[in-house]
Every structure is written in structure tokens, then in C-alpha cells.
Amino acid sequence: MSASATSAPRRFAFSPRRVRDRIGDAVLYVLAAAAALLVLVTVALLAYELVKQSWLAISEFGLGFVTSRAWDPVKSEFGALDFIFGTVYTSFLAVLVAAPAAIAIALFLTELAPRGFRTVIGTLVELLAAIPSVVIGLWGIFVLGPFVQHHLGPFLSRWLGFLPFFKGTPQLTGYLPAVIVLTIMILPITASVARELFLTVPRDLKEASYALGATRWETIRGVVLPQTRGGLVAAVMLGLGRAVGEAIAVTQVIGDTLGIHVSLFENGDTLASRIAAQYQAAATNIHISSLVYLALVLLVISLITNIAAQVIVRRFERQLAGR
Amino acid sequence: MTDRAQFSLAPTRQLRRRQIVSKLMEGVMLVSALAAIAVLGLLIATVIERGHSALSVDFFTKGPTTNFLGTTGGIANAIVGTIVIVAVATVIALPIGILVAVYTSEFARGGVRRVLAFTLDVLNGIPSIVIGIFIFGLIVLSHQQSAYAAGVALAIIMLPLVARSTQEVLALVPDSLREASFALGVSRWRTVTGLIVPASFGGILTGGTLAIARAAGETAPLLFTCALTTTKISWDPSQPLQSIPLTIFQDLEQPDPALHEQAWGAALVLLTFVLVVSVLSKAVLARNRRKLSR
């Protein structure tokens, strides 16, 4: 029995376990912080890279690029106005159709549907969001396009032809199929965000409304919708952001031509669609650089919609929490 | 007589009108939901109807033939390519995404956490085609197109999804569990790796598979990073490999109806994978949530 083994006080700071813990904690912290930093760096690097690659076009055309209607690879003249119009026009119309429908779906899922069906129907709607855009594009060109050309288009032009939106002859491609495709793509996203919002409405408020004799719709209009207003705006903006950035499905059905038209039967193009269609075929540096410039414009538009949505959500959350 | 009528319990005209308006709006909601499900059914039915005839053993095991007049061959090269590209993306995005979530839930304080959540949302909102161009400039210009480059692009798309879903399940781990661990003198890293992550492992994994399903269907980033492909079946990530979404996209540009049939077949394969993975992970995720929040 050696005395030293039992009587020597152990110095706690040097116990191997303690040292290992200190190192482990530090390593975990550094790894996690590095990963978090990587996210920030990626976004910054992305912006930098786009500016760098489009610098040739930026220095050549300047800010006039966004107001110029030229797009001529042969003469090396490029401008983005037609594509900005196409992007804004199709996305806006898609949101106009999808937003009320998505809110109606979300209301159905939270207020109306029998309890047992809610999860099933909710999952089905979310599956619509999981369908790859290239599959929707495939469907768009082979099924939706002919349907619009032969059935929906003639129908609209016969009954609503007096409106500027339905002038001319329906074709296989154009704004109308693009709007329909985008509507299908943003509908489930907006609906599932809206559903989460409606689930946060306190039950007491709804029951108070029913107790006062309000009908279901009056309760929705008077309690559920005002209570979630801010979040709903953000949900719609998220859908808008998605519509603005969609390239693959739109490029199949929009016709890929220059032009600014009001009529939905006309062909056009969007920013994302033009990039997807021409990037591989671009031969000159200024052409490539101009396409990246388009991507930069697209990035700015989608950042504005997304950041606006985030700001609205945050403010809305704070408002709810503050109450 | 008239007094009596005033106290009648029969609905007044105004009440009836209110009820009709309410029923009408309920009808609108029902029709919207049915329409969404109908569109889903229509899409799936069309893909099955037009795609099933392309399926055969060769379709899954052989690469495309270069013979323009004969059969188009299979899409084995694209299936292998998609597996390789998505595997590269997963290997990158899963650990980083989990670490980001660990950072926000275990280390970050108010301001930093808000900035990070905001940046993740911004990253999630960036169009995938822009991410493709970013990776083109970052990697492809200085090296060449490859499955690695495509994997990095898809990883950037997956990262915010993985981080967000992991954050959500980590937040479900009760604080009492953490506090019990700390009270026993267990260090933070042991608590995280031995307790918190294992407790929410199922949720993390299903969040990851949902992100994989999303990434497998992305086409736009592949256009710039992995499009100059061959018909060879190869597992080498340093080569540009064909992928299923790109096969569909390229087949569409051709006038040959046989290639269109191949596109529908490829769409059926892709859609089946994406939908099955999504449904399964959603089911598992729902069960996991119930278990954790109990």
C-alpha cells in the first residue's frame, strides 16, 4: 500500500476527463461556429461572384441594362427590360390566382375538413410542392400547352376576348401556360405556410365569435384572417419569391421570345428562363456576362421579395409575442 | 298577431343571407382544396400513363445508345449520375447543416441567432439557377464541369433545409434533459453528441431525406455545373455525369418522339423516388415529433 496514491490530493484542473471535456467543448464550438460562418460567407461569396462574372456587362451597359430592350447576341447588344417585364408579369398573375386559392385551402384544412382527413389532405397538398419543376415543365409542354391552345384559350377568347388580356390567338406556348405552371408551383408553398399560421389562432377567440352567433365565414373574416394578416402577407411574398426564380418549368412553356405584351396568349420570356435557355449556347464573353447580369437582376428581385417577407414575419411574430 | 311574428325563432331573411354567404365561402374552400388534389392526381396519372411504357429492365440497366434511328436505350447513366451527385451533396450539406443547427440552438445568443436565421432564409430564397451560376464561376471556370461541382451546388440548396429542420427537432428536445445532463457534470460536447443529437436523430434524418428529395429533382443548377455529359455509365464524381432531371430537360429539346417517351419514363422514375421519399419521411417525422413532444 503506497501512501502517495491515496493521500496526494488530485488536482482537479488536470484530471484527464476535465482536459478532454475542455478540448471537446472547444472543438464542438469551433466546428459549429465555422459552419455558421460558412453560411454567411456563402451568401456573400455568391453576391461577389455574380458581380465579378457580370462585370464586363456592367461596365459595358451600366444601369441602363435594366431599361434596355435590346437582346441581340450578333450585334452584342443586351438589355433586361423584356425579361424583367416577363418575370414580374407572370409572377404577379400567378400570385393573384394562387394566393386566394392557397388561403382557401389552408382555411379548409384548419377550419372545415373533418379531423381525420386533415393530415391526409394536408400531406397531399404538400406533395404537390415536392414534384420536381422539370416534371411540371414536361407536363406543361405536352399536356397543358395543347389544352391551352385548343380548349382553354379559345374559351377565354370567346367569352372574355374584349379584355386586353385575351386578345389574339392562343398558341402552344405563352404567358398563360407559364402563369398556370407557376400557380401550381406556388400554391402548395403558400398554402402550407398559411395553414401553420391559422393553427396559431387561439381557440377561445374563435369560440367567442361563434358564441356571439357569427357564422363560420364571419368568424374567419372577423377573427382568423385579421389575427394572421401579417403572416399571410409574408406567405404570399414567399410564393412570389419562388415564382420569380423558377426557370426550368417556365422556359418550356413561355415561348422564349423577346417582347412585352399584355395579352396572355403572346409569347415572352423571364429572367430565369432566358438564363436557362441560353447559357450553354452563349459564345461571346459579353453574351455570357450579360446572362450573369440577368442573374444578378434576378437575385436582387428575389432578395427584395424575400427580405420584405422576412421583415414582415418578424414584425408580426413580435407583435403576437408582445400581446 | 304581429307581435308573435316578431318573436318567431324561424331565421330572419338577414340570418338566412348570412348563412348562405358562409356556406358559399365554405364551398369555395372545399373546391380549392379539391382542385389542388385534382392537379396532383392529374400530374401523377399523366406521368404514369405516358411513362410506364418506357420502363423495362434495359431502361434501368443500360445507358443510352448513340444510334439515332434505333432504340434510345436506357437511362442507367443518369440514374447512377443522380445517385453520385446527390450523395456528394448530402455528404457536404448534412454535417454542415446539423452543425449550423447545433450552433443556433446550443451556442448562439439573440443577435447572432437572428442574423443566422435571417441568412438561412435568404439562402433558401435564392433561385436555384442563380446558385448554379455561382458554382459555375466558383468551381467550373477554374476546373471543369463535374459531379463534385453539381454536388456543391445542390448542397447549397439543401443546407438551409437541413439546418432549418434540424433546428426544429433540436428545439423539441426538452430543456430538462439538457439541465439534467449538465447537473451531472457532463460537458457540453458530450451532452450534444451523446444526448441531444441522438434524441432527435430520427427527426434530423427525415429532414435530411426531405432535402435529398428536393435536391434530386433540381435541374437548373446542373445546367452549368454538370451538363456536358457522356452516355457512359460512370461512378466517378470528378467527371461530368448525366442526371435524371437533365435527361428529361435535354430530351424535351429534341424533336424525336422516342426521346419524349424516354423523358416521360425518366419523369416517372424521378417522381416515384421523390414522392415515396417525401411521404415516408413525412410519416416518420410526424411520429418522431409526437414521441419527442410527449
Side-chain angles (χ1 to χ4, degrees):
Chain A
M1 203 161 90
S2 74
S4 60
T6 46
S7 63
R10 287 181 69 172
R11 294 202 44 192
F12 196 63
F14 285 110
S15 97
R17 185 179 150 209
R18 171 94 184 209
V19 170
R20 229 183 308 134
D21 280 354
R22 284 221 164 157
I23 296 174
D25 278 3
V27 168
L28 180 69
Y29 178 78
V30 167
L31 280 178
L37 196 64
L38 191 66
V39 173
L40 305 182
V41 169
T42 304
V43 173
L45 201 59
L46 187 142
Y48 166 78
E49 194 64 48
L50 284 196
V51 172
K52 194 180 101 186
Q53 284 186 64
S54 58
W55 192 249
L56 187 63
I58 293 176
S59 50
E60 176 83 27
F61 306 116
L63 273 179
F65 186 73
V66 294
T67 54
S68 159
R69 293 202 48 194
W71 190 271
D72 190 341
V74 181
K75 289 196 213 143
S76 284
E77 284 171 3
F78 299 99
L81 190 63
D82 287 25
F83 314 121
I84 294 175
F85 171 81
T87 300
V88 172
Y89 193 47
T90 52
S91 307
F92 178 74
L93 288 178
V95 165
L96 212 60
V97 181
I103 291 171
I105 291 171
L107 286 172
F108 178 79
L109 289 173
T110 52
E111 311 292 325
L112 219 60
R115 223 151 257 286
F117 283 108
R118 286 181 188 183
T119 340
V120 178
I121 300 174
T123 310
L124 285 178
V125 173
E126 278 177 15
L127 281 187
L128 194 55
I131 296 183
S133 56
V134 70
V135 175
I136 294 188
L138 179 72
W139 176 80
I141 194 69
F142 285 120
V143 181
L144 181 65
F147 175 73
V148 166
Q149 188 181 19
H150 300 300
H151 302 284
L152 184 61
F155 175 81
L156 288 172
S157 108
R158 186 151 143 227
W159 296 104
L160 299 166
F162 58 90
L163 294 170
F165 304 110
F166 303 113
K167 283 259 177 338
T169 25
Q171 305 162 55
L172 204 58
T173 55
Y175 290 124
L176 185 57
V179 168
I180 295 174
V181 158
L182 287 177
T183 304
I184 293 174
M185 299 185 78
I186 63 177
L187 184 70
I189 301 166
T190 314
S192 75
V193 179
R195 182 173 66 147
E196 300 289 315
L197 285 169
F198 294 149
L199 287 174
T200 64
V201 177
R203 225 188 136 113
D204 332 1
L205 287 182
K206 282 191 272 184
E207 276 168 7
S209 167
Y210 286 128
L212 287 172
T215 62
R216 205 175 239 152
W217 168 242
E218 284 161 355
T219 303
I220 289 169
R221 222 187 54 182
V223 176
V224 177
L225 292 183
Q227 186 78 11
T228 51
R229 206 174 39 215
L232 282 180
V233 172
V236 170
M237 300 280 274
L238 284 180
L240 180 65
R242 176 80 192 267
V244 163
E246 179 48 44
I248 298 299
V250 171
T251 201
Q252 309 290 352
V253 296
I254 200 165
D256 291 337
T257 54
L258 290 174
I260 293 180
H261 305 283
V262 175
S263 172
L264 293 171
F265 297 147
E266 295 287 344
N267 286 330
D269 213 348
T270 68
L271 291 164
S273 157
R274 172 76 25 164
I275 302 166
Q278 292 206 338
Y279 207 75
Q280 282 174 300
T284 58
N285 283 334
I286 188 74
H287 190 181
I288 296 175
S289 188
S290 299
L291 285 168
V292 181
Y293 201 171
L294 289 185
L296 193 63
V297 174
L298 175 61
L299 180 69
V300 169
I301 294 178
S302 71
L303 280 186
I304 290 172
T305 50
N306 270 293
I307 291 177
Q310 305 303 337
V311 169
I312 294 169
V313 167
R314 303 261 135 86
R315 185 180 301 164
F316 175 69
E317 272 170 1
R318 222 171 307 139
Q319 204 179 47
L320 270 190
R323 227 180 276 168
Chain B
M1 269 319 209
T2 47
D3 278 279
R4 260 233 180 117
Q6 274 180 0
F7 295 111
S8 153
L9 282 175
T12 60
R13 197 186 300 159
Q14 196 206 1
L15 177 59
R16 214 173 292 135
R17 208 199 63 221
R18 288 167 53 205
Q19 282 170 339
I20 290 172
V21 168
S22 184
K23 283 286 167 218
L24 269 176
M25 296 312 287
E26 285 175 30
V28 169
M29 293 171 206
L30 176 69
V31 168
S32 303
L34 289 181
I37 294 169
V39 168
L40 176 73
L42 187 69
L43 275 165
I44 295 176
T46 314
V47 172
I48 293 175
E49 186 205 326
R50 302 212 179 181
H52 78 274
S53 55
L55 300 188
S56 64
V57 176
D58 282 357
F59 193 72
F60 293 97
T61 55
K62 293 218 167 83
T65 55
T66 41
N67 174 6
F68 285 105
L69 297 172
T71 56
T72 49
I75 58 161
N77 61 336
I79 294 175
V80 169
T82 287
I83 292 172
V84 172
I85 293 168
V86 172
V88 171
T90 310
V91 166
I92 300 169
L94 211 54
I96 297 180
I98 293 172
L99 279 172
V100 170
V102 165
Y103 183 78
T104 40
S105 77
E106 308 297 321
F107 296 110
R109 284 188 213 100
V112 180
R113 186 189 294 215
R114 267 202 300 278
V115 169
L116 198 57
F118 184 78
T119 315
L120 280 173
D121 284 340
V122 165
L123 192 58
N124 194 23
I126 293 177
S128 59
I129 194 157
V130 172
I131 291 173
I133 288 193
F134 165 50
I135 294 303
F136 178 83
L138 194 69
I139 298 175
V140 177
L141 276 184
S142 52
H143 297 80
Q144 59 154 1
Q145 294 202 350
S146 66
Y148 283 130
V152 173
L154 293 188
I156 296 177
I157 292 169
M158 287 173 71
L159 184 61
L161 303 174
V162 173
R164 176 47 61 89
S165 65
T166 307
Q167 263 168 32
E168 274 169 18
V169 283
L170 288 188
L172 286 177
V173 176
D175 271 340
S176 56
L177 221 60
R178 272 188 200 97
E179 283 154 12
S181 173
F182 291 147
L184 288 172
V186 179
S187 66
R188 194 174 275 276
W189 77 279
R190 296 284 283 172
T191 308
V192 170
T193 55
L195 185 73
I196 295 174
V197 170
S200 46
F201 192 66
I204 295 174
L205 217 60
T206 45
T209 49
L210 277 178
I212 288 176
R214 162 86 192 275
E218 279 292 344
T219 318
L222 305 178
L223 285 176
F224 319 114
T225 52
C226 202
L228 301 168
T229 60
T230 61
T231 54
K232 234 179 31 230
I233 301 173
S234 159
W235 293 85
D236 178 10
S238 65
Q239 296 300 312
L241 303 178
Q242 182 64 303
S243 51
I244 303 177
L246 207 65
T247 302
I248 302 171
F249 188 73
Q250 288 168 345
D251 283 353
L252 281 179
E253 317 255 283
Q254 309 294 328
D256 182 0
L259 284 175
H260 294 162
E261 197 188 329
Q262 177 179 303
W264 285 105
L268 180 55
V269 173
L270 185 63
L271 194 61
T272 309
F273 171 76
V274 167
L275 291 186
V276 167
V277 168
S278 299
V279 170
L280 285 182
S281 12
K282 276 193 175 130
V284 174
L285 196 62
R287 220 191 55 193
N288 254 299
R289 271 221 187 106
R290 269 203 303 280
K291 217 164 64 188
L292 264 180
S293 52
R294 216 171 18 217

